[in-house]
Amino acid sequence: MSDATITRAPTGTYAIDPAHSRIGFVARHAMVTKVRGSFNEYEGTGYFDAEDPSRSHLSLTIQAASIDTRNADRDAHLRSNDFFDMENHPTIEFRSSAVEQVDDTTYRVTGDLTIKGITRPVTFDLEYTGTAVDPFGNTRLGLEGSVVVNRKDWGLTWNAPLETGGVLVSEKVTLEFEVSAILQKDEQQS
C-alpha cells in the first residue's frame, strides 16, 4: 500500500480484533535457527487522537497460558516456572505511558511491560498500515511493529549450555505485533 492510499484513522477508542491480529515472538534456538510463537488469547484497547497523537494510549493483557509455538512439550516448558510461571503470573501486560508521532505512518510508543511480575519500560515503533471499513460496517485500523528485548530483564533466565558452545535459547527475543483494531460502535460517526 503506498503512502498516498493511506487514510487517516478517525479519533476514538479501538479494540484489538484477535481473529485478525497476531501478538508473537521470535527467539533463536540452539544458536542456529529461529523459533516463532504467538499468544492466542489477549485483549487490548486503545484511544487514538488523530489531532494530537500524544493524547493517545493503549493497553494489552495477554493470557500467558495461550502461548503457542506449535510444539506441546515446548509450550508446557514455557508455561512452567522456568519461563513464564503462569500459575503465579497468568497474564502479561502492557500499558502505554507516551505516544509520539514520528512521521505520517509511524508512531513511537513507550510504556510498561509486565512479565512474570516484573515491570520494565519498553519503547517501540508502530507503523500505521491504514484504515478501512469492512463488509460489516466496522472501521478498522491496522498497525504493525516489533521490538527486541532481553528476556532476562523479566526474570526469564532458564537456559542450557550446548556442547559446541553457546546456549539453547537466546537472551534476545523479538516481540512482534500485527494488529487489526475496530473502532467501537459508540465512537463511530453516523
Side-chain angles (χ1 to χ4, degrees), residues 91-154:
T91 61
I92 298 167
E93 299 190 13
F94 176 79
R95 304 286 176 263
S96 70
S97 56
V99 176
E100 169 192 359
Q101 187 166 1
V102 176
D103 60 34
D104 286 345
T105 60
T106 307
Y107 296 88
R108 185 154 296 137
V109 179
T110 299
D112 292 325
L113 177 61
T114 303
I115 302 173
K116 203 173 176 181
I118 298 171
T119 302
R120 299 257 190 255
V122 295
T123 298
F124 55 91
D125 287 351
L126 285 176
E127 178 187 357
Y128 168 62
T129 58
T131 302
V133 176
D134 69 21
F136 306 102
N138 297 309
T139 299
R140 291 180 175 271
L141 163 106
L143 298 166
E144 295 179 357
S146 65
V147 62
V148 176
V149 298
N150 186 325
R151 65 186 176 87
K152 287 186 170 187
D153 290 344
W154 284 271

Side-chain angles (χ1 to χ4, degrees), residues 142-173:
L143 298 166
E144 295 179 357
S146 65
V147 62
V148 176
V149 298
N150 186 325
R151 65 186 176 87
K152 287 186 170 187
D153 290 344
W154 284 271
L156 305 173
T157 59
W158 183 90
N159 225 329
L162 300 174
E163 281 185 28
T164 56
V167 291
L168 187 62
V169 183
S170 62
E171 290 180 15
K172 293 188 186 286
V173 176

Side-chain angles (χ1 to χ4, degrees), residues 7 23 34 63 71 81 86 89 108 124 126 163 177:
T7 58
I23 306 295
K34 293 179 180 175
Q63 298 303 314
N71 180 292
N81 188 41
M86 59 152 269
H89 305 284
R108 185 154 296 137
F124 55 91
L126 285 176
E163 281 185 28
F177 321 102

Side-chain angles (χ1 to χ4, degrees), residues 20-86:
H20 296 97
S21 300
R22 179 177 176 272
I23 306 295
F25 59 90
V26 180
R28 190 154 298 276
H29 179 263
M31 309 297 292
V32 296
T33 190
K34 293 179 180 175
V35 170
R36 296 182 186 279
S38 60
F39 294 95
N40 296 327
E41 295 176 26
Y42 50 86
E43 293 180 344
T45 60
Y47 176 77
F48 177 71
D49 189 320
E51 298 305 316
D52 184 1
S54 70
R55 293 182 48 201
S56 303
H57 52 83
L58 59 101
S59 63
L60 175 67
T61 300
I62 299 168
Q63 298 303 314
S66 74
I67 197 165
D68 182 1
T69 64
R70 299 174 324 183
N71 180 292
D73 291 339
R74 180 172 46 227
D75 293 348
H77 190 203
L78 289 168
R79 290 181 186 111
S80 77
N81 188 41
D82 283 346
F83 287 96
F84 290 106
D85 188 15
M86 59 152 269

